[in-house]
Amino acid sequence: MSPLSGTSLRARATGLLCLAGVVGIGATMPDARAQTESNGGMTQEESQQYRDCIKLAQLKPEDGFESAIAWRDLGGGEPARHCVAVALISLGKYEEAATRLDALAKDSTAGPGVVAGMLAQAGQAWMMADNLEFAWRDQSRALELVPNNPQLWVDRAMALGLAGQYWEAIDDLNAALDLQPDHSEALIYRASAWRLLESYDLAMTDIEYVLGREPQNVQALFERGKLHQIAGDKDLARRDWLTVIELSNGTPVADAAKANIEKMDVRTGSD
């Protein structure tokens, strides 16, 4: 039984990513096309077919699903099965996609890096399906195979944070940062966790480090806006969120920034 047993994503909407308001679940979904480089047994023609299948699955998922099924039935093997799962993710059928990715990882004859990638992608799909327990399980299995991959530590921290286990999430983020000290995503998520633990100085230190290197990182700007708001600096919070909107209008993080400005204005008007 995992430490996240029985935890619901919606029931824990105060988790790391939701309160951070930075990105939606799956924003760090591993790029499925990266699997192409690891399928060394494919010919050049098969590799191109795989890339084309993945592109279609992502851009036109219904057509991609049908194409991937047909390819699988013609003996497309693991690449075709993976493409089917990618199409299902694009179609929003996250539980079915995660189940297929789990089966593919179990059956795969590929090396540990490829299998870990499948498990990581399954973990992301399980999070999108509201099943944090299975997400944590698959992410842990991936880390057992490839413990030196910082992104895998970040992925598991996401599930822990969504479950409200912020200290455990920080432990995983620290592991990622030990491997890659300038990992911006890990630093931003750690800042969110520090904020939720009310360690605001530590949160700001992580965010300012990211923004010192990436002044237009909208996730970091959004998080800094939250910290300014908590400190009572509404003008600074507004400035950061307006910058987020300017840089990424139409994205989830921009929508969250707009919502925060509206809420802040409502509260200010009632003071």
Side-chain angles (χ1 to χ4, degrees):
M1 187 70 69
S2 86
L4 306 191
S5 179
T7 304
S8 165
L9 177 56
R10 292 191 180 96
R12 294 310 306 246
T14 57
L16 179 65
L17 300 186
C18 294
L19 275 192
V22 172
V23 292
I25 303 300
T28 57
M29 179 71 72
D31 186 346
R33 285 170 290 186
Q35 299 285 355
T36 305
E37 303 302 324
S38 302
N39 282 285
M42 287 195 289
T43 65
Q44 185 174 355
E45 182 179 353
E46 289 169 337
S47 180
Q48 184 61 52
Q49 184 175 8
Y50 176 68
R51 288 194 296 270
D52 291 343
C53 185
I54 291 296
K55 183 177 181 179
L56 186 62
Q58 292 173 331
L59 297 178
K60 296 182 178 180
E62 292 185 0
D63 293 342
F65 178 77
E66 295 298 330
S67 177
I69 288 291
W71 184 25
R72 182 202 64 186
D73 292 346
L74 289 172
E78 289 187 22
R81 290 174 63 189
H82 184 245
C83 191
V84 170
V86 172
L88 288 168
I89 291 172
S90 298
L91 288 167
K93 297 182 179 181
Y94 304 123
E95 184 171 349
E96 184 177 352
T99 299
R100 287 176 182 261
L101 286 164
D102 281 342
L104 181 57
K106 182 179 179 180
D107 298 340
S108 179
T109 58
V114 176
V115 175
M118 295 171 185
L119 289 167
Q121 196 168 31
Q124 291 282 355
W126 282 123
M127 281 199 290
M128 295 159 78
D130 279 8
N131 193 325
L132 296 181
E133 180 185 1
F134 282 15
W136 182 91
R137 177 200 65 188
D138 282 351
Q139 290 155 353
S140 297
R141 289 174 176 172
L143 281 167
E144 289 174 2
L145 292 170
V146 188
N148 62 345
N149 184 322
Q151 187 60 50
L152 296 180
W153 289 102
V154 173
D155 287 348
R156 194 172 72 171
M158 292 168 65
L160 289 163
L162 283 168
Q165 297 187 20
Y166 306 127
W167 286 112
E168 291 83 355
I170 287 171
D171 286 342
D172 276 6
L173 293 166
N174 286 341
L177 291 164
D178 285 342
L179 293 165
Q180 186 178 336
D182 60 351
H183 196 296
S184 296
E185 189 181 4
L187 287 161
I188 294 167
Y189 290 149
R190 189 172 69 175
S192 299
W194 286 132
R195 171 170 57 79
L196 291 163
L197 291 167
E198 301 183 2
S199 296
Y200 304 126
D201 288 344
L202 291 172
M204 187 62 83
T205 297
D206 280 346
I207 288 301
E208 292 291 7
Y209 180 82
V210 174
L211 289 172
R213 299 174 60 251
E214 305 171 30
Q216 294 188 330
N217 186 308
V218 293
Q219 298 178 7
L221 286 165
F222 181 93
E223 180 62 29
R224 190 173 68 177
K226 294 289 292 184
L227 293 168
H228 284 320
Q229 182 187 35
I230 290 168
D233 296 327
K234 294 180 180 179
D235 289 342
L236 292 178
R238 183 188 305 277
R239 185 184 67 184
D240 278 343
W241 290 334
L242 287 173
T243 302
V244 169
I245 296 167
E246 180 183 353
L247 292 172
S248 62
N249 197 27
T251 65
V253 65
D255 292 343
K258 291 177 184 177
N260 279 354
I261 291 173
E262 291 171 1
K263 290 177 184 177
M264 188 169 64
D265 287 345
V266 169
R267 292 185 187 128
T268 301
S270 64
D271 288 344

